[in-house]
Amino acid sequence: MTDDTRGGANQTDALKNQLSQALIKSGIEQDKIRELVCALVDHMKSEGAEPEKVVIAVKSAVLGDATAKAAPDSAHITETEKMLQRALRWCIERYYG
């Protein structure tokens, strides 16, 4: 692995950590979360990451160690699942936009 590759991976990890930490804090504005999602997408795309890898990274940052469970209907969707849906929408819009 080259230093450039490690630097890219380190920056990806740092962006994922920033996003995860922002989601943990209460009172963080959605615009800030969206900025962090977009920064992660932009970085990974510039490094040549395929869309699937970017989506996995965003999911990982939003969910942490939790596992997303399918809800029977929208009334049962948790706040984390709602945030995941928004983050994935932003991710896809940014990657292809």
Side-chain angles (χ1 to χ4, degrees), residues 7-65:
N10 289 341
Q11 187 171 0
T12 298
D13 289 343
L15 288 166
K16 283 175 57 179
N17 287 335
Q18 287 176 11
L19 177 57
S20 293
Q21 290 303 310
L23 289 165
I24 291 169
K25 295 177 185 174
S26 61
I28 297 290
E29 296 180 15
Q30 288 219 12
D31 289 343
K32 179 64 176 172
I33 302 294
R34 186 176 184 159
E35 285 176 25
L36 290 167
V37 168
C38 291
L40 177 58
V41 171
D42 290 346
H43 172 72
M44 291 186 72
K45 188 175 179 182
S46 74
E47 294 284 314
E50 305 253 339
E52 299 84 11
K53 296 281 186 187
V54 178
V55 167
I56 290 168
V58 170
K59 279 184 174 182
S60 171
V62 172
L63 295 176
D65 293 331

Side-chain angles (χ1 to χ4, degrees), residues 58-96:
V58 170
K59 279 184 174 182
S60 171
V62 172
L63 295 176
D65 293 331
T67 304
K69 296 179 182 174
D73 61 40
S74 60
H76 295 90
I77 297 176
T78 66
E79 286 303 311
T80 300
E81 290 166 332
K82 288 179 185 178
M83 177 53 68
L84 178 61
Q85 289 175 353
R86 285 189 293 269
L88 292 176
R89 185 180 69 245
W90 297 331
C91 173
I92 293 165
E93 288 172 353
R94 186 65 172 206
Y95 192 94
Y96 290 108

